[in-house]
């Protein structure tokens, strides 16, 4: 998907994905919030889902969450993390995902949840280390990673070191999310894994604002996306489709609508 932004302002990408509108500046963002436009989460809520968001980066009041259509909102203070912050990153991705089973219990109502992951966010040092999921606990175990890797000053003064640290941080995030998916492979659900925006071009070394998207789920659910032209596996082919991020909402809803997949499908 082609993100509307690069190098920051992730909330503009999040709102683009949710609204189906191209939100590339703060004025458009405010206009979207003030409009009657239904977000992806409003549509899910109207279809009987509990709409939840787990946002470890939110440390201040966030009234926009209600306007976006979330009913259950879990911010940094709600997640119970007792470890040290990783510079700007309040907690490692493995801890964030470990809270999902606790915060989103299986109580009969299906969840439509959005979780933000932070470990691939600058300054990319220190990079957390994976631990046994059963040992995550309150997150204090991650303090052992705090002194691994170069200090921030050494990273940002050397472009090659900066790119290497970004690569390591992204590798960690992907390892966490795919391991999380594997641990829940018996659940009949969909996981949409999306990069909200690329880093600045000085880090990526790549023109453009395309970001990867992965859809993971059971074979029966993935059938709804057969005509999307996605590549099996992690690396898209050279002729893989590229869409604006604003196209996702309507395509996703259409793919999963009763007319598309049958009224009895999840």
């Amino acid at each position: 998907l082609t993100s509307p932004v690069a190098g920051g302002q992730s909330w503009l990408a999040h709102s683009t994905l949710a609204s189906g509108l191209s939100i590339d500046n703060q004025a458009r963002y405010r206009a979207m919030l003030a409009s009657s436009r239904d977000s992806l989460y409003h549509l899910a809520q109207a279809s009987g889902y509990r709409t939840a968001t787990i946002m470890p980066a939110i440390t201040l009041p966030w009234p926009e969450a209600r306007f976006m259509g979330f009913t259950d909102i879990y911010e940094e203070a709600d997640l119970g993390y007792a470890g040290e912050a990783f510079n700007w990153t309040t907690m490692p991705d493995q801890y964030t995902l470990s809270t999902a089973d606790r915060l989103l219990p299986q109580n009969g109502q299906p969840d439509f949840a959005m979780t933000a992951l932070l470990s691939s966010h600058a300054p990319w040092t220190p990079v957390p280390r994976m631990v046994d999921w059963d040992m995550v606990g309150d997150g204090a175990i991650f303090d052992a990673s705090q002194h691994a890797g170069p200090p921030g000053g050494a990273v940002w003064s050397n472009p090659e070191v900066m790119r290497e640290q970004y690569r390591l941080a992204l590798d960690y995030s992907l390892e966490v999310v795919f391991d999380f998916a594997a641990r829940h492979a018996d659940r009949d659900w969909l996981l949409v894994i999306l990069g909200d925006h690329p880093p600045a071009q000085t880090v990526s070394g790549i023109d453009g604002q395309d970001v990867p998207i992965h859809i993971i789920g059971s074979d029966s659910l993935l059938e709804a996306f057969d005509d999307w032209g996605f590549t099996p596996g992690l690396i898209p082919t050279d002729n893989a489709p590229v869409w604006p991020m604003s196209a996702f909402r309507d395509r996703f809803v259409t793919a999963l609508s009763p007319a598309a997949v049958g009224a009895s499908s999840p």
Side-chain angles (χ1 to χ4, degrees):
L1 302 182
T2 303
S3 177
V5 290
Q9 297 184 295
S10 56
W11 64 93
L12 302 182
H14 298 178
S15 59
T16 293
L17 186 82
S19 69
L21 304 171
S22 181
I23 312 294
D24 60 359
N25 60 61
Q26 192 67 9
R28 286 176 177 264
Y29 177 69
R30 292 184 179 278
M32 183 273 297
L33 290 176
S35 75
S36 59
R37 177 78 171 180
D38 283 335
S39 76
L40 192 56
Y41 311 108
H42 290 117
L43 297 174
Q45 187 178 356
S47 298
Y49 288 86
R50 174 174 52 185
T51 55
T53 183
I54 300 174
M55 296 293 281
I58 299 297
T59 60
L60 298 172
W62 187 38
E64 296 94 331
R66 297 294 180 190
F67 289 95
M68 290 295 292
F70 294 114
T71 57
D72 292 53
I73 303 161
Y74 303 98
E75 302 171 5
E76 185 267 345
D78 303 313
L79 302 185
Y81 180 65
E84 298 178 44
F86 283 69
N87 281 317
W88 181 90
T89 301
T90 56
M91 63 194 69
D93 290 347
Q94 189 177 10
Y95 182 83
T96 300
L97 286 180
S98 77
T99 69
D101 293 328
R102 169 167 53 88
L103 296 176
L104 306 176
Q106 299 289 296
N107 63 358
Q109 184 178 15
D111 287 305
F112 195 97
M114 191 274 279
T115 303
L117 300 178
L118 306 180
S119 293
S120 59
H121 193 288
W124 311 307
T125 188
V127 177
R129 293 172 177 168
M130 286 284 293
V131 302
D132 188 304
W133 287 90
D134 294 331
M135 300 295 291
V136 169
D138 63 5
I141 191 172
F142 294 106
D143 289 352
S145 300
Q146 283 293 336
H147 305 292
V155 171
W156 287 83
S157 63
N158 187 319
E160 292 306 316
V161 174
M162 182 169 57
R163 293 187 183 105
E164 174 66 5
Q165 287 300 119
Y166 172 67
R167 184 190 69 78
L168 292 172
L170 191 60
D171 181 70
Y172 165 79
S173 291
L174 290 173
E175 182 180 6
V176 167
V177 76
F178 291 130
D179 200 43
F180 176 81
R183 284 172 55 83
H184 293 80
D186 59 336
R187 294 184 64 173
D188 195 25
W189 64 356
L190 281 174
L191 291 176
V192 178
I193 303 163
L194 174 68
D196 51 12
H197 61 75
Q201 188 181 1
T202 53
V203 179
S204 69
I206 298 172
D207 289 330
Q209 296 176 184
D210 293 346
V211 291
I213 179 172
H214 306 281
I215 300 181
I216 296 176
S218 62
D219 290 342
S220 60
L221 290 178
L222 291 180
E223 287 178 359
F225 306 96
D226 280 349
D227 64 352
W228 280 24
F230 277 27
T231 306
L234 299 185
I235 309 299
T237 59
D238 291 340
N239 63 348
V242 179
W243 305 335
M245 191 172 284
S246 58
F248 177 83
R249 189 200 76 152
D250 289 353
R251 286 178 182 265
F252 187 74
V253 170
T254 298
L256 295 178
S257 68
V261 300
S264 61
S265 296

